[in-house]
Amino acid sequence: MLKVISFTICPFVQRVTALLEAKGIPYQVEYISLSDKPQWFLDLSPNGQVPLLVTEQGDTLFESDAIVEYLEEAYPALQPALSPVQKAQNRAWSYLGSKQYLVQCGAQSSKDADTLKTRSEKLATAFAKVEKVLGEHRFFNSDSLSMVDIAWLPLLHRAQIIKDATGYDFLHGFPKVQAWQAAVMATGLAQKSVAEAFDQRFADYYLSEQTLLGRCQRTCAPCDCHAQNLEADCCAEAEIRRCTPMPATSGCCDSSGCGDDSRCG
């Protein structure tokens, strides 16, 4: 059986496990602490990052891009009839998605409104590019899942968690991406591809007292908030304000580890 070496909340790992779930491939997961990496893991991983995939033959693969390409080639493809050009296009859009994982991690861990706004706007540039190419299909480019959907699933999943918990919407202004998010989340792959402890570990890291989103979740009622209406003093530690939901146009006083590339890849 395939084995995935993982860190609980790493989006790069979720990309791999989501593909395994989508293909119905049996696998097991071994979790490690990235703050205290075991020597056996360092011996297997040239870059010291998760995920790692150990194949049924005992070969070890690293880097999520390489792992998902192996899984797509070694097992029945999600979209078997694609031309070489279509496969290359899918890879390119998938790379664009995976490049945003750490951008989103940084936005989620922002400690003040200005930082959250700046990082959200950087993330939004990628969502804007997808918004332009999404069509009438249920998923990215068809009515069945593709490698692109799998690559963007960790981003869409985390955006949903943040919105549900705080009201802050990373996808504000992108209706096609929001519809795509709903379709991907409806598959159930997001929950199937993470550990039982994922929600709590995610909250502990990104919705703690150390982050703006975490402080606001604890002190304010969720409202329709996003980068364009986020006040600079939102949930400032000196004067956290308890508020009620307000329309996006009136401003907002509550916006509603993986964290760095030395851990995941």
Side-chain angles (χ1 to χ4, degrees):
M1 182 182 295
L2 296 173
K3 177 187 282 189
V4 179
I5 312 301
S6 172
F7 171 58
T8 308
I9 60 173
C10 181
F12 296 92
V13 172
Q14 189 180 16
R15 179 186 181 188
V16 171
T17 53
L19 181 57
L20 289 165
E21 291 287 348
K23 288 174 172 278
I25 303 171
Y27 66 99
Q28 57 184 225
V29 181
E30 182 166 353
Y31 296 98
I32 65 168
S33 170
L34 294 182
S35 61
D36 185 21
K37 300 173 184 176
Q39 187 58 49
W40 64 261
F41 168 75
L42 295 174
D43 291 340
L44 289 175
S45 178
N47 58 12
Q49 299 174 345
V50 293
L52 286 183
L53 180 74
V54 181
T55 70
E56 294 175 306
Q57 293 73 37
D59 298 308
T60 302
L61 304 178
F62 65 102
E63 291 291 346
S64 57
D65 287 333
I67 292 171
V68 295
E69 288 187 15
Y70 163 76
L71 293 174
E72 181 68 350
E73 293 179 4
Y75 297 87
L78 291 181
Q79 295 177 303
L82 294 183
S83 68
V85 169
Q86 290 171 320
K87 290 180 180 178
Q89 290 172 333
N90 273 5
R91 282 195 294 272
W93 282 104
S94 296
Y95 293 159
L96 179 62
S98 64
K99 287 178 182 177
Q100 310 312 311
Y101 293 171
L102 297 179
V103 178
Q104 188 180 51
C105 288
Q108 292 166 167
S109 60
S110 299
K111 292 178 169 53
D112 58 71
D114 287 340
T115 303
L116 177 58
K117 177 180 172 64
T118 298
R119 292 174 176 176
S120 295
E121 289 173 344
K122 183 177 180 180
L123 182 60
T125 61
F127 287 129
K129 293 173 183 178
V130 180
E131 181 78 11
K132 290 181 180 180
V133 300
L134 289 172
E136 301 303 317
H137 297 296
R138 182 184 178 197
F139 298 111
F140 179 77
N141 56 14
S142 73
D143 290 325
S144 60
L145 284 167
S146 71
M147 294 291 282
V148 183
D149 300 295
I150 298 298
W152 287 76
L153 180 147
L155 297 166
L156 302 175
H157 183 198
R158 284 155 178 74
Q160 187 67 60
I161 293 172
I162 294 296
K163 189 173 192 302
D164 289 345
T166 69
Y168 190 82
D169 192 1
F170 284 115
L171 304 184
H172 173 78
F174 305 118
K176 291 182 180 179
V177 177
Q178 290 171 337
W180 181 34
Q181 177 192 47
V184 171
M185 293 299 293
T187 65
L189 290 175
Q191 288 301 325
K192 291 177 181 178
S193 57
V194 295
E196 289 184 9
F198 174 84
D199 289 346
Q200 186 59 55
R201 295 285 181 84
F202 183 90
D204 290 344
Y205 195 92
Y206 292 113
L207 297 175
S208 72
E209 291 295 331
Q210 303 304 311
T211 70
L212 176 69
L213 293 172
R215 294 194 301 273
C216 292
Q217 180 197 30
R218 287 164 171 74
T219 58
C220 298
C223 66
D224 183 10
C225 210
H226 47 84
Q228 283 68 49
N229 72 345
L230 187 63
E231 295 181 359
D233 62 348
C234 173
C235 290
E237 291 194 53
E239 52 175 286
I240 293 178
R241 295 170 292 171
R242 187 176 301 278
C243 65
T244 55
M246 297 183 297
T249 55
S250 65
C252 189
C253 69
D254 70 313
S255 63
S256 43
C258 192
D260 66 69
D261 59 5
S262 67
R263 297 185 173 196
C264 305

